[in-house]
Each structure stands twice: as C-alpha cells, then as structure tokens.
C-alpha cells in the first residue's frame, strides 16, 4: 500500500488557498519544535462566517496537504463550526496519514484555532 493517499498527494501537489490574505481579521501562526515546520493561517470573517481563508506553510508535504484540506473544510462555515475542527477530521478528509505524520494535521488544527483566537481578541478590543 502506498504510504500516502491520493488525496494527500493531490493536496500536496495542488494546494488550495495558498498565500496571504491582505484583509484578514484573524491570523494565527504555529510551529512544531521537533520538526521545525511552521504554519500560518489567515481568516477573513464577516457576519460570523469564514468568507475567505489562506495559508502559508513552511514544512513537509503532509503539513501542506493538511493545511490545504483544513482551509477547504472551514471555508464558508460559521466560526463556531471552524472552532470544532479537529486534526482527526483533517486526517480523515485526506483518507488518512501515516502514524508519524499525524502531528502535521495537529498543526493545521492549531493554526486555525490560533487564527480564530486572534479574531476574537480583535473583536473584544
Ligand atoms: Fe512536522 Fe510534518 S513533519 S509538520
């Protein structure tokens, strides 16, 4: 069996929503100290809906595929739903990741959560 699913390869080769969102109102950046990979998420939220999302990932193929899939999973969704996104859901949507690459999907969950926290902070101030 191939180590990586077709979906992982597809999102790695053709990542969706790559780049910077100039008018983002929620930005989150996280990293994994062990592998050194970094993920940055930009959210544009209006009326409590994720209108747009982009990411920049400096990391492995699984991290790129996970960020790409995570952006697809939350785009157009309410903030409350995006808050619930788990790394498990990201990995499942990619038809699985090898055990030693699960932490790459955790990074995607953390990056989105961090961007949502930033959004809430901005709303409060
Ligand atoms: Fe660390 Fe993939 S190897 S995020």
């Amino acid at each position: 069996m191939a180590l990586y699913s077709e979906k992982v390869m597809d999102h790695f080769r053709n990542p969706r929503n790559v780049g910077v969102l100039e008018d983002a109102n929620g930005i989150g950046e996280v990293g994994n100290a062990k592998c050194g990979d970094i993920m940055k998420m930009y959210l544009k939220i209006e009326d409590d809906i994720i209108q747009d999302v982009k990411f920049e990932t400096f990391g492995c193929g699984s991290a790129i595929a996970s960020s790409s899939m995570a952006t697809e999973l939350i785009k157009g969704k309410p903030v409350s739903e995006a808050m619930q996104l788990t790394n498990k859901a990201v990995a499942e949507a990619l038809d699985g990741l090898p055990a030693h690459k699960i932490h790459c999907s955790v990074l995607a969950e953390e990056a989105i959560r961090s961007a949502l926290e930033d959004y809430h902070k901005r709303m409060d101030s």
Side-chain angles (χ1 to χ4, degrees):
M1 199 191 102
L3 190 55
Y4 293 106
S5 72
E6 290 280 328
K7 274 199 192 158
V8 172
M9 293 312 292
D10 177 34
H11 279 262
F12 165 57
R13 291 201 183 104
N14 310 294
R16 322 319 191 244
N17 308 307
V18 179
V20 177
L21 262 188
E22 297 297 345
D23 57 348
N25 54 1
I27 299 174
E29 186 174 332
V30 294
N32 181 296
K34 267 199 192 148
C35 64
D37 290 1
I38 295 169
M39 206 179 275
K40 197 164 181 181
M41 281 284 166
Y42 301 85
L43 303 176
K44 174 72 187 161
I45 301 171
E46 262 167 40
D47 300 329
D48 233 37
I49 302 285
I50 317 266
Q51 305 286 355
D52 207 358
V53 47
K54 286 207 185 298
F55 78 90
E56 290 179 305
T57 291
F58 304 96
C60 74
S62 298
I64 290 167
S66 294
S67 0
S68 169
M69 181 55 88
T71 59
E72 292 275 274
L73 290 174
I74 64 163
K75 205 171 186 177
K77 297 277 164 58
V79 168
S80 57
E81 219 173 292
M83 253 347 234
Q84 307 295 321
L85 183 78
T86 60
N87 81 290
K88 202 164 166 267
V90 173
E92 275 173 16
L94 287 168
D95 290 339
L97 284 168
H100 67 289
K101 288 288 178 179
I102 292 293
H103 80 270
C104 315
S105 61
V106 171
L107 216 51
E109 174 190 322
E110 289 175 351
I112 287 176
R113 194 128 329 140
S114 160
L116 287 167
E117 277 164 16
D118 179 51
Y119 166 72
H120 283 126
K121 255 187 239 150
R122 293 185 199 210
M123 290 302 109
D124 290 345
S125 59

